[in-house]
């Protein structure tokens, strides 16, 4: 390799560092060129790569010809990983323009053909299509209406697989739950393993958008109640799910809208 080539590579790397710094702060620490990271001082280290390594083997390695929707894509780490596995089309959505700007920069730097749009999980019906794989990672606990979000994903965009992750707090055990209980029998609610969704009125970890913290039993119950069968649990917070028929199909799921 010539000195001229080395100088050109060094200048390119420095340009990427400067552009990444200008787009900060970053939550996704992504290597956009050899030795060049978007968040080299990240408080969680090489995140989300350290998380991804714990469950990457549970996600299909060959996504050739598949479509992928990344809901709450942030700076696009998982969208890029899906493209690396051969996905024909990857769409990342987020409602934060700063994250979308970061994601577009990452995709450009890595030469990854990924589309990004400013949409909320509550807007997925506007996409008008289903995807072979839906990523719903690190979003649920930031939502004021988490079960509604799962219902909308099931109703509008999930075609087959969903990779789900949520922060969890409370018991990691799962108590057996009966199909019904007498009105005066309330003892099961005190069991640490009963499904519980902890409400955060103010802040958690300094973040005012942390609204909910489910325990493990609650996470799994919510997924089942929204029509997702859990097929793998490769990491403490991660679930690989398959879309199935919504249980209790005759029960109202979301408020009915008046006819236009």
């Amino acid at each position: 390799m010539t000195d001229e080539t080395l100088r050109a590579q060094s200048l390119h790397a420095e340009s990427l560092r400067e552009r990444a710094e200008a787009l900060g702060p970053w939550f996704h620490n992504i290597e956009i060129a050899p030795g060049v990271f978007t968040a080299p001082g990240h408080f969680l280290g090489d995140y989300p790569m350290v998380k991804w390594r714990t469950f990457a083997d549970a996600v299909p390695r060959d996504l050739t010809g598949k479509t992928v929707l990344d809901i709450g894509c942030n700076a696009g780490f998982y969208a890029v990983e899906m493209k690396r596995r051969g996905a024909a089309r990857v769409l990342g959505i987020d409602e934060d323009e700063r994250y979308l700007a970061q994601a577009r920069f990452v995709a450009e730097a890595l030469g990854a053909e990924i589309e990004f749009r400013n949409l909320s999980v509550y807007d997925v019906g506007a996409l008008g299509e289903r995807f072979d794989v839906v990523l719903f990672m690190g979003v649920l606990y930031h939502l004021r209406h988490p079960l509604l979000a799962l219902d909308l994903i099931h109703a509008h965009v999930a075609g087959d697989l969903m990779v789900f992750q949520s922060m969890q707090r409370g018991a990691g055990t799962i108590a057996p739950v009966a199909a019904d209980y007498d009105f005066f029998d309330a003892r099961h609610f005190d069991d640490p393993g009963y499904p519980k969704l902890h409400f955060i009125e103010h802040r958690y970890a300094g973040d005012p958008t942390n609204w909910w913290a489910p325990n493990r039993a609650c996470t799994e119950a919510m997924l089942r109640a929204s029509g997702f069968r859990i097929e793998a649990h490769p990491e403490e917070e991660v679930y690989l799910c398959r879309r199935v028929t919504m249980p209790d199909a005759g029960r109202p799921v979301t408020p009915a809208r008046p006819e236009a």
Side-chain angles (χ1 to χ4, degrees):
M1 189 176 294
T2 66
D3 289 345
E4 184 177 345
T5 300
L6 288 172
R7 281 195 297 272
Q9 290 180 344
S10 177
L11 288 171
H12 177 64
E14 184 59 31
S15 173
L16 290 177
R17 286 191 188 93
E18 291 175 356
R19 291 177 64 189
E21 185 175 351
L23 288 168
W26 294 72
F27 186 63
H28 283 183
N29 186 23
I30 303 170
E31 189 173 21
I32 51 177
V36 181
F37 291 84
T38 57
H42 199 295
F43 76 103
L44 292 175
D46 190 15
Y47 184 90
M49 180 59 78
V50 291
K51 186 82 166 179
W52 172 235
R53 291 194 186 107
T54 66
F55 67 92
D57 289 343
V59 179
R61 287 194 171 276
D62 185 3
L63 294 174
T64 302
K66 302 294 186 182
T67 57
V68 178
L69 174 65
D70 186 1
I71 300 172
C73 62
N74 201 280
F77 173 88
Y78 291 109
V80 168
E81 292 301 324
M82 297 301 100
K83 197 66 181 178
R84 284 173 172 162
R85 295 194 174 198
R89 177 169 179 249
V90 179
L91 170 62
I93 65 172
D94 206 293
E95 58 180 349
D96 190 315
E97 279 293 347
R98 180 170 63 87
Y99 290 151
L100 291 172
Q102 292 175 350
R104 292 185 180 108
F105 165 67
V106 166
E108 175 195 340
L110 295 174
E113 187 178 344
I114 303 171
E115 179 186 355
F116 296 100
R117 293 177 60 181
N118 188 321
L119 286 174
S120 159
V121 63
Y122 305 123
D123 300 322
V124 292
L127 293 173
E129 62 179 302
R130 292 192 182 273
F131 295 79
D132 298 306
V133 181
V134 172
L135 305 179
F136 192 42
M137 309 281 295
V139 179
L140 185 93
Y141 51 95
H142 292 301
L143 302 174
R144 288 181 67 95
H145 312 290
L147 193 60
L148 172 61
L150 286 170
D151 287 346
L152 291 171
I153 291 170
H154 183 277
H156 296 288
V157 290
D160 186 17
L161 295 178
M162 180 174 73
V163 185
F164 173 88
Q165 180 264 330
S166 175
M167 172 183 71
Q168 295 179 161
R169 293 294 183 266
T173 57
I174 298 178
V177 177
D180 196 4
Y181 290 92
D182 183 84
F183 180 79
F184 296 100
D185 182 4
R187 292 169 297 175
H188 51 285
F189 290 113
D190 295 323
D191 191 319
Y194 188 83
K196 291 181 172 67
L197 189 59
H198 306 93
F199 178 66
I200 302 165
E201 183 181 0
H202 302 296
R203 292 172 182 254
Y204 181 66
D207 189 342
T209 73
N210 284 329
W211 286 105
W212 302 98
N215 63 5
R216 177 184 170 184
C218 181
T219 295
E220 297 185 9
M222 289 177 72
L223 289 169
R224 290 191 299 268
S226 299
F228 293 99
R229 184 177 69 233
I230 297 168
E231 297 211 328
H233 184 202
E235 199 265 352
E236 183 180 1
E237 297 180 340
V238 177
Y239 295 85
L240 186 67
C241 308
R242 194 171 298 276
R243 184 187 186 276
V244 294
T245 302
M246 178 80 74
D248 297 326
R251 186 175 64 185
V253 176
T254 55
R257 293 186 177 181
E259 294 295 330

